[in-house]
Amino acid sequence: MTDKIQKRILLTSFLAIPTILLCMFVIYPTVKLMYISFTDWDGINTTMNFVGLKNYSQVFQRKDIWQSLKNNNLYFIIHLFFIPIEMYLAVLLDRYIRKSEFFKTVIFMPYIINGVAIAYMFSFLYSSEDGVLNGLLALLSIDKVRWLSNPDIVNYSLVCVSLWRFTSIHIILFLAGLQSINKDMLEAALIDGASIFQQFTKIIIPNMKSILSIILFLNVRGALMVFDIPFVMTSGGPGTSSTTFALHTVKTAFEFSNFGLACAMAIVLIIAIIIISYIIQELPKHSGSKIHKIMTKGIIHNVLINFRL
């Protein structure tokens, strides 16, 4: 055999197994998911009746689905407001804290801990009977708070758990972006009399656009796919107060035996993530716009004032 044929055989052999696995566990399930979304399959019977776009119309018409998206929106907004704080903590670790390797490890630990374990740990902290938080409030002669059974505060309690778990990965990404910036540029700017605010707006932010895009995408995707924390801690309760879109999808399939609607919800979620990821990728290309500059300077200015950098 010639060298060209040997190379083709070798490449085909190496690619065969990954291609088969990709078809079995990604492509085929996706195609099957799309097919079921056009049926009324209940997950048990072998017959599937074609219902067209009925399931998709229900996704956009049912109030309970929109309520779950509203809960997801709360995760996104609060995480978004914490991005400047995460950047500030990354700057502290990168510049002002000596021997910061230990603190970097401590900060990263929550992200690598299993989500179910974290949910059970915070369930104990939030417990209305013998929880740690209510115990501290009792020492201050404050009445107990129903952290997980009060519809008005349950979502905020769950978002705090999400912040504790996922803030660490954002800080590590910001650290990677800061450490990739040429230190000579910052030193030259400092010698030229540039303030910290000017260093942020003229050097640090322009060199961290890709990191900001990644963090924003992780924020959006994570907010849309929140599942384990509300599932373990509240099961979406009280009532449906803390039900997220992903949790609602699972319940629709396995509790209400409506796999067709659940698959339609999953397809809508996939399309939403693809569209949002495309928009986020396009943002850096238009980052020179006047609106973007005003927003960026305003955010950084507030961070510098509030934290006295």
Side-chain angles (χ1 to χ4, degrees), residues 17-32:
I17 295 178
T19 303
I20 293 173
L21 293 175
L22 179 67
C23 293
M24 288 177 59
F25 296 106
V26 178
I27 297 177
Y28 172 74
T30 303
V31 174
K32 191 71 173 180

Side-chain angles (χ1 to χ4, degrees), residues 16-84:
I17 295 178
T19 303
I20 293 173
L21 293 175
L22 179 67
C23 293
M24 288 177 59
F25 296 106
V26 178
I27 297 177
Y28 172 74
T30 303
V31 174
K32 191 71 173 180
L33 184 75
M34 295 178 64
Y35 172 73
I36 296 175
S37 69
F38 293 102
T39 69
D40 62 351
W41 188 47
D42 60 1
I44 299 175
N45 295 325
T46 56
T47 58
M48 300 182 186
N49 299 317
F50 185 78
V51 295
L53 298 175
K54 180 180 178 182
N55 291 325
Y56 289 94
S57 64
Q58 288 190 44
V59 173
F60 296 100
Q61 292 176 3
R62 291 180 52 167
K63 293 182 179 180
D64 54 344
I65 295 177
W66 285 104
Q67 176 62 39
S68 65
L69 281 173
K70 183 179 178 181
N71 295 335
N72 286 94
N73 190 43
L74 185 65
Y75 286 84
F76 169 74
I77 292 174
I78 295 180
H79 273 281
L80 185 64
F81 278 109
F82 263 76
I83 287 178

Side-chain angles (χ1 to χ4, degrees), residues 137-302:
L137 293 178
L139 294 176
L140 300 174
S141 300
I142 301 176
D143 294 337
K144 291 183 179 180
V145 177
R146 296 181 295 120
W147 301 101
L148 300 179
S149 57
N150 187 340
D152 296 328
I153 64 173
V154 60
N155 283 307
Y156 296 97
S157 301
L158 298 179
V159 171
C160 288
V161 181
S162 179
L163 284 172
W164 185 84
R165 183 183 180 192
F166 293 107
T167 294
S168 57
I169 186 63
H170 296 170
I171 294 175
I172 296 301
L173 289 173
F174 276 129
L175 271 172
L178 288 170
Q179 292 173 358
S180 66
I181 298 175
N182 192 340
K183 302 299 182 184
D184 294 336
M185 296 172 59
L186 296 173
E187 292 178 359
L190 187 63
I191 293 173
D192 291 338
S195 63
I196 297 178
F197 174 73
Q198 291 174 328
Q199 293 178 40
F200 257 86
T201 56
K202 303 298 183 182
I203 299 176
I204 295 178
I205 294 298
N207 284 279
M208 292 184 65
K209 290 179 182 177
S210 58
I211 299 296
L212 286 169
S213 297
I214 292 172
I215 290 175
L216 186 59
F217 171 72
L218 291 175
N219 186 12
V220 174
R221 190 202 64 174
L224 289 173
M225 299 179 65
V226 174
F227 172 76
D228 52 354
I229 292 174
F231 176 74
V232 174
M233 296 182 67
T234 64
S235 296
T240 58
S241 300
S242 61
T243 300
T244 59
F245 190 84
L247 180 55
H248 198 342
T249 302
V250 173
K251 284 189 173 184
T252 301
F254 295 99
E255 288 189 14
F256 304 109
S257 299
N258 194 342
F259 278 76
L261 178 59
C263 291
M265 294 171 66
I267 293 295
V268 170
L269 180 62
I270 292 172
I271 294 174
I273 292 176
I274 292 174
I275 293 174
I276 293 172
S277 65
Y278 174 76
I279 294 173
I280 292 174
Q281 288 177 356
E282 292 296 315
L283 282 177
K285 299 179 182 179
H286 306 284
S287 60
S289 65
K290 186 176 181 181
I291 296 176
H292 182 274
K293 289 180 179 179
I294 293 173
M295 291 177 63
T296 302
K297 289 183 179 180
I299 292 172
I300 301 303
H301 182 67
N302 290 333

Side-chain angles (χ1 to χ4, degrees), residues 83-111:
I83 287 178
I85 299 175
E86 294 160 356
M87 184 183 296
Y88 171 72
L89 292 174
V91 171
L92 286 181
L93 289 173
D94 184 55
R95 291 189 180 184
Y96 301 108
I97 298 179
R98 296 180 179 179
K99 305 294 182 180
S100 60
E101 288 76 11
F102 170 76
F103 296 100
K104 293 176 185 177
T105 304
V106 172
I107 287 175
F108 192 62
M109 284 297 292
Y111 183 73

